[in-house]
Amino acid sequence: MAEQRIELGRPDVAVSAGCACHGSHGAVTTSPAVDAATVVTDLPVDGMTCDHCIRAVTTELRALPGVDAVEVELVAGGTSRVRVHSERPLDAAAVAGAIDEAGYTLHA
């Protein structure tokens, strides 16, 4: 499986699960398993707190051409990890636009 990293100035992101307003959610996978030819892009996203946030980010990212799956490891009120599986490398500007359209911010 190929891996793509969009550099945002932070090498690692602490990941945990839970939502301050609705209890523990953990990782959410929004699509079926992907094959070995998939490109994986890890994105640190700020401002997510609950299932609604996960749905908003997932919907916008899944609208990008070539995206097969989106997984979110929610860190309520912190920096969540969003992992995107796609057929090819993603355009960084398109990814940033999708996150912005959902109402959240890529962590720099």
Side-chain angles (χ1 to χ4, degrees), residues 16-19 25-26 48-51 54 72-76 80-81:
S16 67
C19 175
H25 300 293
M48 299 173 68
T49 60
C50 63
D51 284 338
I54 292 169
V72 175
E73 290 186 38
L74 183 66
V75 178
S80 298
R81 184 181 78 167

Side-chain angles (χ1 to χ4, degrees), residues 82-94:
V82 178
R83 179 168 276 182
V84 182
H85 299 264
S86 58
E87 298 169 355
R88 59 189 168 276
L90 298 172
D91 177 71

Side-chain angles (χ1 to χ4, degrees), residues 11-60:
D12 294 333
V13 176
V15 178
S16 67
C19 175
C21 58
H22 301 292
S24 180
H25 300 293
V28 175
T29 303
T30 60
S31 293
V34 292
D35 64 40
T38 298
V39 175
V40 176
T41 305
D42 285 326
L43 305 167
V45 178
D46 289 334
M48 299 173 68
T49 60
C50 63
D51 284 338
H52 169 77
C53 303
I54 292 169
R55 283 190 303 275
V57 168
T58 298
T59 298
E60 292 299 327

